[in-house]
Amino acid sequence: MSFAAVEPSQALEFRVRGRVQGVGFRPTVWRMARELGLAGEVLNDGEGVLVRVSGDQSRIAALLRRIEGDPPPLGHIDSIERRRYSGRLPQEFRIAESIGGPARTQVAPDAALCGACAAELRDPDERRYRYPFTNCTHCGPRLSIAKAIPYDRATTTMAPFALCAACEAEYRNPNDRRFHAEAIACPSCGPTASLVAFGREGEPRDGAADAVKLAAELIARGDIIAVKGLGGYHLACDAASPEAVVRLRGLKRRDAKPFALMARDLDVMRRYCAIDAVEERELTSVKAPIVLLRATGQERLPEAVAPGLAMLGFMLPTTPLHLLLMNQFEHPLVMTSGNISDEPAVVDDAEAYRQLAEIASFALTHDRAIANRIDDSVVRVMAGRSRVLRRARGYAPAPLRLPSGFENAPDLLAMGGELKATFCLLKDGQAILSQHQGDLENAATLDDYKKNLALYRSLFDHAPSAIVVDRHPEYLSSKRGRAEAENHGAPLIEVQHHHAHVAACLAENGRPPHAPPALGIVLDGLGFGDDGAIWGGEFLLADYLGYERLARLKPVAMPGGAQAVREPWRNLYSHLKAAGAFDATPSASGDWSALNGKPLATIDRMVAQGLNSPLASSCGRLFDAVAAALGVCADRQAYEGEAAARLEALAATAPNDARGYALRITESELIDIDAAPMWRAILDDLRHGVSAQTIARRFHLGLAQSITEVAVRLAAARRFETVALSGGCFQNRLLFESVYDGLCEAGFVVLTHADAPANDGGLSLGQAAIGAAHLMRTDMTRDGKDGACVSAFPAASFA
């Protein structure tokens, strides 16, 4: 390569930031520059991509327009900075070697198999025919194999696989779509699939495509198979076999939580589910999440797949291995996480043999290591828009850009909640939200949380100037955050749970820090309130700097505390007593069959004496109580939110009855939504033989109507125009769409979640935004160097 000196006026350097490594960005720029006859180079470094170019200024401008307007499919440009360049450049445009430096680029999320690679998989004339690890710069593993930045093969779990001559030629050819595809592989030099019989010493390992074929035959005969995916193992069985599904439930110890399903293509899915245009777009996207679909197809799967629910969670094959497997089946397979219930999915091969051998008879595995555990993402389409319920594979660690005004926010770390845990790194005005971690009360999940936290801080060269935690004193994430602040001498910022929910919704929707307060309506299960009570049905007038509690669901005792979450009958009894709707006479108590034989006198004494019976304004517990009244999960919930999910499923099958139950709205210091009139109406309907489906629907509609009415009343007094909806209860489609439509009809601007979960998976985003807003305002980074809590941000008045 020859070089020529150039004058500064003839050369420019572009700094491109964003998701620009490992996605084919350099060869895209190379092709564009050569087509325009420009000289120079493009290279990766720790901050992203550098483009140094010389030539006719109009052609350089054309190159910049093409880079901005037509990046590669997996690429995303956040910013392009330009400046003059005075160094020496090659006469022909080239792709230069990567250089180090501070890590300020993005690691791309794992991407589903692209169409070009899928076509090669099916073509007998291609050298990657039926090869389970086919990929290119447009698809395949990214975060799941990444160990460090820059994202090059040497810093991934593909490093042990030396390229053959054919793959080396593709890897070095800028005209090839596999140019610098770090996971490039073929049957001659790449990973190999194997079928392993668990618990059988010396069992032969069958390689490549044969292993997939044998695995399919075993599933077809009724076996349960462990399948090594991108970010962890799955457990697979025949979804059309009631016996196989029930056996998997028993062995996995998963009583009722729905199983994820995988189908070969959309045609198979449509036999069981309705799929609209938005759902189809999500299913076929590079993210390829699990999409919750209405189970209204002509064919039915066994009830044990999703007990009591009207939705099925489907995904398409995400890897060549999965596609080869699914091509053997005309019906879906269960493809659930490879773990014992409540444990994180297994990623290590040796651990898979230890943990999964009691469940699966065989493992369809391979010898490419998984560096980072990543669950399947889950989305649901509501109000015509796809909304992330669990953000993981395909989404993380793609950052969310914070609103205008946060560009100069200091780097900080937000630790998230305890359930559906995530953490969030704030860096360069962007929120880097981790993948879903799970319940931190599980020791293995907490260990994974700590591992991922260290990984992200390394990948993104992140040194936080402050730590942000939930105000709950017992959250393990908060305890970890306090320890981090203590160890590093960083200020600690405590944020109220529901304020974080509101802030997450504001931040996701681009609400700038200087915007006037909006009304946040947060409906969830449990959050630690300012008064020491449990909050969960809140109306907060809020911005990033503070909040004022204006209304709530009327608090009701939770007899037994955490036990009341697991046993909905306790909430039913407490709500009935608070409403004066329970008659203890033998004839009357029969109206509430869920309470028959329960220790009601003991509950009365607990509540009267205040023993482990905290007051809660929780919307989640109200759902539990109504479900129990209808005989749904009354004695026990097998998983968080089961009662509410089944109640929604009942309501979905009811006639379109526009009448909802009336709830009482009372005004004093706070506006209370009191469910007492609803309980008497439910009792009347039960006595008149009204169906459980209709009662469930009337409950949803009545609650939604009351929420809208409270918002209208508050707006008349406080003059806000914008409402933000957050909290896990808004994953309920009927409730969400009823509230959303009602607020829109009332003239509000309604902000909702889409890219970040409305549930506690989005808490860390809100914590990060709140922490940044306060740091920018008060410059706390110069205070609290001893790691002491610098502020808990108590409720403020916006009057």
Side-chain angles (χ1 to χ4, degrees):
M1 179 69 68
S2 60
F3 286 80
V6 295
E7 296 298 325
S9 60
Q10 293 178 293
L12 291 175
E13 180 179 82
F14 302 138
R15 153 70 62 206
V16 187
R17 288 193 170 91
R19 191 162 63 248
V20 292
Q21 290 187 9
V23 295
F25 201 91
R26 288 175 301 166
T28 297
V29 173
W30 178 84
R31 287 190 291 271
M32 292 174 176
R34 290 175 73 92
E35 289 170 4
L36 290 167
L38 296 169
E41 62 187 6
V42 58
L43 65 146
N44 281 343
D45 72 355
E47 298 189 43
V49 166
L50 277 177
V51 182
R52 295 164 177 162
V53 60
S54 65
D56 181 83
Q57 296 301 300
S58 63
R59 295 189 180 190
I60 293 177
L63 174 64
L64 182 58
R65 288 195 299 271
R66 290 182 64 180
I67 291 172
E68 291 177 320
D70 192 22
L74 299 185
H76 180 81
I77 297 172
D78 289 328
S79 65
I80 299 180
E81 302 161 12
R82 55 185 296 173
R83 62 189 176 195
R84 290 186 175 182
Y85 184 73
S86 58
R88 297 175 65 87
L89 290 175
Q91 291 178 329
E92 291 185 350
F93 202 88
R94 69 169 186 170
I95 296 175
E97 292 296 320
S98 299
I99 59 176
R104 293 188 178 179
T105 187
Q106 298 176 15
V107 178
D110 298 86
L113 183 69
C114 71
C117 286
E120 288 181 345
L121 206 65
R122 295 188 293 266
D123 188 348
D125 294 329
E126 288 285 347
R127 68 189 188 93
R128 292 185 176 86
Y129 172 61
R130 289 184 57 77
Y131 179 57
F133 307 98
T134 299
N135 69 89
C136 69
T137 54
H138 301 158
C139 67
R142 298 292 193 280
L143 176 63
S144 62
I145 63 171
K147 292 182 175 180
I149 286 290
Y151 176 77
D152 287 324
R153 191 178 183 91
T155 62
T156 74
T157 58
M158 287 299 295
F161 300 97
L163 294 177
C164 67
C167 284
E168 180 80 24
E170 292 172 329
Y171 185 83
R172 300 295 177 192
N173 181 5
N175 272 320
D176 196 287
R177 79 174 195 279
R178 292 190 169 92
F179 176 78
H180 280 239
E182 307 305 343
I184 186 174
C186 78
S188 299
C189 64
T192 301
S194 302
L195 185 71
V196 178
F198 281 145
R200 302 184 189 180
E201 295 293 335
E203 187 76 20
R205 296 166 65 91
D206 299 287
D210 287 345
V212 179
K213 184 177 179 182
L214 287 170
E217 292 171 356
L218 292 168
I219 292 172
R221 80 178 190 187
D223 280 325
I224 298 167
I225 302 295
V227 180
K228 188 175 182 180
L230 271 177
Y233 274 83
H234 288 111
L235 289 167
C237 74
D238 185 349
S241 167
E243 296 79 12
V245 176
V246 169
R247 188 167 72 256
L248 177 57
R249 283 211 174 276
L251 293 170
K252 189 175 161 66
R253 301 176 212 161
R254 188 169 180 168
D255 294 347
K257 195 173 183 179
F259 283 141
L261 298 165
M262 183 176 284
R264 180 188 64 201
D265 53 36
L266 295 175
D267 288 340
V268 173
M269 289 185 195
R270 286 192 174 98
R271 288 169 23 209
Y272 304 92
C273 297
I275 305 176
D276 67 22
V278 180
E279 291 162 344
E280 179 175 341
R281 185 184 69 215
E282 292 302 310
L283 286 163
T284 58
S285 71
V286 296
K287 301 179 181 72
I290 297 168
V291 179
L292 300 187
L293 304 172
R294 293 152 292 168
T296 56
Q298 293 185 347
E299 297 184 38
R300 292 284 184 269
L301 291 172
E303 171 68 14
V305 169
L309 302 182
M311 309 288 293
L312 293 172
F314 264 106
M315 59 180 159
L316 288 169
T318 52
T319 73
L321 183 72
H322 287 95
L323 182 59
L324 290 170
L325 180 64
M326 294 310 305
N327 279 342
Q328 310 295 312
F329 293 94
E330 297 291 331
H331 55 268
L333 298 184
V334 167
M335 197 66 67
T336 188
S337 56
N339 57 358
I340 300 295
S341 189
D342 297 326
E343 295 279 335
V346 172
V347 295
D348 179 73
D349 297 336
E351 189 66 22
Y353 302 151
R354 287 193 295 270
Q355 282 199 29
L356 303 183
E358 296 180 2
I359 305 175
S361 4
F362 294 84
L364 177 57
T365 185
H366 56 79
D367 52 356
R368 183 182 70 205
I370 298 171
N372 306 305
R373 179 185 288 110
I374 307 171
D375 289 322
D376 295 314
S377 295
V378 181
V379 306
R380 187 175 191 182
V381 174
M382 299 187 292
R385 188 176 178 189
S386 176
R387 303 177 189 277
V388 175
L389 308 186
R390 185 169 74 194
R391 191 176 188 272
R393 177 185 53 74
Y395 293 84
L400 302 172
R401 179 158 288 279
L402 291 175
S404 175
F406 283 98
E407 295 86 354
N408 297 318
D411 293 359
L412 57 78
L413 170 63
M415 303 298 288
E418 187 158 272
L419 299 178
K420 301 179 177 64
T422 63
F423 55 80
C424 183
L425 279 60
L426 194 63
K427 187 178 178 72
D428 299 330
Q430 295 188 113
I432 304 164
L433 191 61
S434 78
Q435 66 266 38
H436 166 89
Q437 318 267 319
D439 181 357
L440 297 186
E441 288 187 339
N442 177 276
T445 303
L446 181 59
D447 287 343
D448 201 46
Y449 175 90
K450 295 174 183 177
K451 171 188 173 293
N452 286 327
L453 185 56
L455 170 75
Y456 272 60
R457 291 175 70 167
S458 172
L459 287 179
F460 296 98
D461 192 28
H462 190 264
S465 60
I467 309 293
V468 191
V469 299
D470 190 281
R471 194 176 297 166
H472 196 296
E474 296 302 318
Y475 274 5
L476 293 175
S477 57
S478 298
K479 290 181 176 180
R480 179 70 183 177
R482 293 185 185 99
E484 290 267 342
E486 183 75 23
N487 292 338
H488 298 286
L492 179 72
I493 300 171
E494 293 185 342
V495 173
Q496 198 279 327
H497 188 92
H498 299 92
H499 185 203
H501 270 300
V502 179
C505 189
L506 297 178
E508 182 182 343
N509 286 276
R511 187 85 167 174
H514 55 76
L519 180 69
I521 302 176
V522 187
L523 306 181
D524 64 356
L526 305 173
F528 190 72
D530 292 334
D531 54 3
I534 293 171
W535 291 6
E538 310 307 316
F539 295 70
L540 307 179
L541 189 62
D543 58 14
Y544 301 110
L545 293 171
Y547 60 93
E548 184 178 358
R549 193 186 192 200
L550 301 182
R552 65 184 178 181
L553 295 181
K554 185 176 180 180
V556 175
M558 279 178 53
Q563 195 70 9
V565 178
R566 294 186 285 270
E567 299 177 357
W569 68 266
R570 294 171 179 263
N571 293 298
L572 170 62
Y573 183 60
S574 187
H575 272 273
L576 292 176
K577 291 285 286 188
F582 182 80
D583 186 339
T585 63
S587 60
S589 61
D591 294 317
W592 311 106
S593 59
L595 303 179
N596 291 340
K598 298 298 189 293
L600 303 184
T602 300
I603 299 297
D604 287 338
R605 288 194 296 273
M606 289 174 61
V607 173
Q609 297 173 22
L611 297 177
N612 195 22
S613 299
L615 288 175
S617 57
S618 169
C619 187
R621 304 292 76 79
L622 178 60
F623 267 86
D624 291 349
V626 175
L630 301 180
V632 175
C633 303
D635 290 337
R636 174 180 170 271
Q637 294 195 79
Y639 58 90
E640 184 203 7
E642 180 187 12
R646 288 190 176 220
L647 191 66
E648 180 191 359
L650 276 178
T653 61
N656 189 13
D657 184 348
R659 180 175 66 87
Y661 292 125
L663 282 73
R664 181 185 302 125
I665 298 173
T666 60
E667 297 191 38
S668 55
E669 184 179 350
L670 288 174
I671 291 181
D672 276 342
I673 300 178
D674 185 354
M678 177 197 76
W679 288 111
R680 288 186 282 273
I682 289 176
L683 178 58
D684 287 342
D685 279 351
L686 287 171
R687 288 175 172 173
H688 287 90
V690 175
S691 71
Q693 290 87 344
T694 296
I695 293 173
R697 184 172 182 84
R698 289 176 177 174
F699 160 65
H700 280 80
L701 296 180
L703 179 59
Q705 289 159 8
S706 297
I707 290 167
T708 301
E709 183 178 343
V710 168
V712 170
R713 288 195 192 187
L714 292 173
R718 306 304 293 268
R719 304 297 181 188
F720 55 84
E721 298 177 349
T722 302
V723 179
L725 304 182
S726 192
C729 291
F730 280 123
Q731 294 176 161
N732 179 311
R733 181 172 180 168
L734 178 57
L735 178 66
F736 172 82
E737 292 183 344
S738 298
V739 171
Y740 179 82
D741 291 345
L743 292 171
C744 289
E745 290 172 6
F748 292 107
V749 175
V750 185
L751 307 181
T752 61
H753 289 280
D755 296 326
N759 59 45
D760 282 7
L763 274 180
S764 61
L765 172 62
Q767 292 171 351
I770 291 169
H774 280 273
L775 289 172
M776 289 189 297
R777 183 178 186 183
T778 63
D779 196 15
M780 289 178 184
T781 56
R782 290 202 295 263
D783 302 324
K785 290 299 184 182
D786 58 354
C789 174
V790 294
S791 182
F793 307 139
S797 174
F798 294 105

